[in-house]
Amino acid sequence: MNKIRLKEKLNSQKGITGIDMVISIIIMALFAGLISGLISKTYSLSIETQKSANANAYVTMILEKVDEKSYEEVTNNFITNLLQSGEIKIGSKAGVLPDEYEILKFEVSPISIDGEESNNVKNVAIQFKYYIDKKHTKSKIISMNKLKVREVYKN
């Protein structure tokens, strides 16, 4: 008799059973975890993209200043001079590089043509490092080169 009543209760269409409730809660928990993971990954990717874009903009800004200045003004302490004079602003404070960005190398060297150093062309190499996270554990490096040619003026 008990078996018949139990079968009738299980086959009843009157509402939600305990098993239905447990299964639905498990499915909701799985999807909530999946959605929160996707949101977290999307946020970190957008931060990384933003920092990469800023770093590229800063390097491009420096290399554009190389174009603007004369051949003699472009030396190994060129960036320091630009920051101190306030000609370029990287970050929110003038003259100071933010913590999440670092200039690893700024090197100006003459170009060798057929084993001879040229007095009219310089290679300007810059390496710019930016940190993706606040703890400075993940970073990326951007490297760019540019040629600076001596200006020739004829009367």
Side-chain angles (χ1 to χ4, degrees):
M1 185 97 163
N2 273 343
K3 286 184 180 181
I4 296 172
R5 272 190 182 169
L6 186 60
K7 267 188 173 179
E8 286 176 8
K9 281 187 176 181
L10 287 175
N11 290 334
S12 168
Q13 300 293 326
K14 292 183 179 177
I16 300 173
T17 62
I19 294 173
D20 292 338
M21 190 89 106
V22 169
I23 290 173
S24 65
I25 289 173
I26 289 172
I27 290 173
M28 285 173 41
L30 288 174
F31 278 116
L34 180 68
I35 289 171
S36 65
L38 286 173
I39 289 172
S40 170
K41 186 66 177 172
T42 303
Y43 175 74
S44 66
L45 191 60
S46 86
I47 292 295
E48 182 178 342
T49 304
Q50 181 183 13
K51 289 201 176 189
S52 173
N54 285 344
N56 277 310
Y58 294 148
V59 170
T60 303
M61 186 186 325
I62 291 167
L63 292 178
E64 284 176 355
K65 287 293 182 181
V66 167
D67 274 344
E68 288 177 16
K69 300 297 179 182
S70 70
Y71 183 83
E72 289 78 21
E73 289 178 292
V74 180
T75 60
N76 284 330
N77 57 357
F78 181 73
I79 294 179
T80 307
N81 295 341
L82 286 177
L83 287 171
Q84 288 175 350
S85 67
E87 285 189 61
I88 61 170
K89 183 179 173 187
I90 298 177
S92 57
K93 295 180 183 177
V96 178
L97 201 61
D99 289 340
E100 60 264 9
Y101 301 103
E102 184 179 340
I103 297 171
L104 296 178
K105 177 176 100 171
F106 184 83
E107 187 175 276
V108 180
S109 57
I111 298 290
S112 294
I113 301 172
D114 295 330
E116 226 177 277
E117 282 188 4
S118 172
N119 291 332
N120 296 323
V121 182
K122 293 180 184 178
N123 180 37
V124 178
I126 184 168
Q127 280 188 343
F128 201 83
K129 182 178 187 178
Y130 63 96
Y131 294 99
I132 297 168
D133 58 345
K134 290 183 180 180
K135 296 179 183 177
H136 293 205
T137 55
K138 288 175 62 180
S139 65
K140 291 195 175 181
I141 296 174
I142 298 171
S143 297
M144 288 190 192
N145 289 331
K146 181 165 194 59
L147 294 178
K148 178 64 179 170
V149 179
R150 183 184 302 271
E151 300 83 8
V152 178
Y153 300 104
K154 290 189 177 184
N155 290 333

